[in-house]
C-alpha cells in the first residue's frame, strides 16, 4: 500500500477526533470502557487530547462482540447524537435531493471530512445520466490506512455513512472504496446498491495489516455476520 501517510493534526482536528471518540466510548468494550464505568478512562480526557490512533482503537472496540448490523446501528446512534434535535428534518428542507444540493455537499465534504479521511477533491461524476460535480475522490483514506481493516471500512464507515445521508438526510450517497490503493469515491445523488450486490461486501481481509484478520477466508468475516 506504499509508505504510511503522516499527518500533523492541530487542536481542531484533535477536537473532532475527541468528540467522535467520546461518543463512541459508550459502545466500546475492553479495559478502557471498564475504567470509564468506574469513573476514569476516556471520559476524563479533553476532546483535544485524543489522537487518531486512539480514535481508531475506540472504533475497533465497538466492533467486538457485535454483529454487522449492530456495528452499523452504533455508528448511526453516534452520528445522531452529534446533531441538535430536529437536524435531519431541517437538512431535508434545506437540501432536497437536487443537483445543487449534491454538489454543495460534495464541496463541504472536502474540508470537513479531512480530519477523518485525509486529502480529497471534488470530481465530476455521472448520476442518472447527468454529469455533475457531486463526487468526492478520497486519495488515500486515512481511516482505512490506519485501521488496516476491511470490516471497519465497510461496517463502521461506508454503510453507516451511506445510510445516514440516504435515510436520515434524504440525500442519496454511494461510497466506493478501492481496496487496492485505499482510495474512495463518494457520489452524492446516487442511491447505494443493496449490500448483497455491493462489491465492497465481498472483500477479503488485509492479512498483513489487520490484527483481526482471517487470512484463509475468501471474504472478511466481519462482512458476513
Amino acid at each position: 500500500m506504499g509508505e504510511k501517510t503522516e499527518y500533523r493534526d492541530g487542536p481542531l482536528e484533535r477536537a473532532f477526533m475527541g468528540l467522535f471518540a467520546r461518543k463512541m466510548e459508550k459502545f466500546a468494550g475492553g479495559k478502557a470502557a471498564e475504567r470509564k464505568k468506574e469513573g476514569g478512562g476516556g471520559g476524563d480526557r479533553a476532546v483535544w487530547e485524543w489522537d487518531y490512533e486512539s480514535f481508531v482503537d475506540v472504533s475497533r472496540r465497538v466492533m467486538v462482540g457485535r454483529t454487522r448490523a449492530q456495528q452499523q446501528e452504533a455508528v448511526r446512534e453516534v452520528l445522531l447524537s452529534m446533531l441538535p434535535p430536529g437536524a435531519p428534518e431541517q437538512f431535508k428542507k434545506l437540501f432536497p435531493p437536487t443537483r445543487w444540493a449534491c454538489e454543495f455537499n460534495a464541496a463541504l465534504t472536502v474540508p470537513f471530512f479531512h480530519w477523518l479521511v485525509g486529502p480529497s477533491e471534488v470530481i465530476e461524476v455521472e448520476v442518472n445520466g447527468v454529469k455533475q460535480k457531486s463526487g468526492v475522490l478520497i486519495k488515500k483514506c486515512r481511516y482505512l490506512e490506519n485501521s488496516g481493516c476491511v470490516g471497519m471500512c465497510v461496517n463502521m464507515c461506508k454503510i453507516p455513512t451511506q445510510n445516514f445521508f440516504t435515510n436520515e438526510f434524504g440525500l442519496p450517497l454511494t461510497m466506493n472504496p478501492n481496496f487496492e490503493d485505499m482510495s474512495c469515491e463518494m457520489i452524492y445523488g446516487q442511491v447505494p446498491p443493496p449490500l448483497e450486490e455491493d462489491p465492497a461486501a465481498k472483500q477479503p481481509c488485509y492479512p498483513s495489516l489487520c490484527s483481526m484478520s482471517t487470512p484463509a477466508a475468501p471474504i472478511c468475516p466481519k462482512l458476513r455476520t
Side-chain angles (χ1 to χ4, degrees), residues 96-145:
T98 62
R99 174 176 176 172
W100 177 85
C102 293
E103 293 185 337
F104 184 75
N105 276 273
L108 286 180
T109 295
V110 174
F112 282 99
F113 280 72
H114 182 272
W115 73 269
L116 177 62
V117 300
S120 62
E121 62 182 356
V122 173
I123 59 173
E124 186 177 71
V125 293
E126 187 172 310
V127 179
N128 299 324
V130 178
K131 291 186 177 181
Q132 56 191 47
K133 289 194 173 183
S134 66
V136 176
L137 177 64
I138 300 168
K139 299 178 180 180
K140 189 175 185 181
C141 180
R142 185 179 187 181
Y143 190 69
L144 180 57
E145 183 181 19

Side-chain angles (χ1 to χ4, degrees), residues 84-209:
E89 289 74 21
Q90 289 300 317
F91 186 97
K92 290 177 182 178
K93 292 178 181 178
L94 292 171
F95 302 108
T98 62
R99 174 176 176 172
W100 177 85
C102 293
E103 293 185 337
F104 184 75
N105 276 273
L108 286 180
T109 295
V110 174
F112 282 99
F113 280 72
H114 182 272
W115 73 269
L116 177 62
V117 300
S120 62
E121 62 182 356
V122 173
I123 59 173
E124 186 177 71
V125 293
E126 187 172 310
V127 179
N128 299 324
V130 178
K131 291 186 177 181
Q132 56 191 47
K133 289 194 173 183
S134 66
V136 176
L137 177 64
I138 300 168
K139 299 178 180 180
K140 189 175 185 181
C141 180
R142 185 179 187 181
Y143 190 69
L144 180 57
E145 183 181 19
N146 277 261
S147 67
C149 181
V150 171
M152 286 180 67
C153 166
V154 177
N155 293 336
M156 302 291 289
C157 181
K158 171 184 159 62
I159 300 299
T161 305
Q162 287 182 168
N163 289 344
F164 197 79
F165 272 90
T166 302
N167 301 328
E168 305 294 337
F169 283 166
L171 187 68
L173 170 66
T174 295
M175 299 178 68
N176 298 316
N178 182 328
F179 293 102
E180 296 295 326
D181 61 8
M182 294 188 172
S183 66
C184 183
E185 183 182 59
M186 302 176 69
I187 306 176
Y188 287 95
Q190 185 175 92
V191 177
L195 185 63
E196 59 271 15
E197 298 176 14
D198 197 322
K202 301 176 178 62
Q203 289 292 319
C205 294
Y206 285 133
S208 62
L209 300 177

Side-chain angles (χ1 to χ4, degrees), residues 40-93:
D44 293 337
R45 192 187 309 185
V47 292
W48 57 84
E49 293 178 335
W50 291 79
D51 58 20
Y52 202 83
E53 286 68 29
S54 55
F55 164 72
V56 171
D57 178 64
V58 173
S59 300
R60 188 176 289 110
R61 288 189 283 112
V62 170
M63 295 183 72
V64 176
R66 285 187 171 84
T67 65
R68 180 179 64 196
Q70 289 171 337
Q71 294 166 34
Q72 295 167 14
E73 178 59 22
V75 177
R76 174 183 173 274
E77 291 190 32
V78 168
L79 293 174
L80 284 173
S81 71
M82 300 290 290
L83 301 175
E89 289 74 21
Q90 289 300 317
F91 186 97
K92 290 177 182 178
K93 292 178 181 178

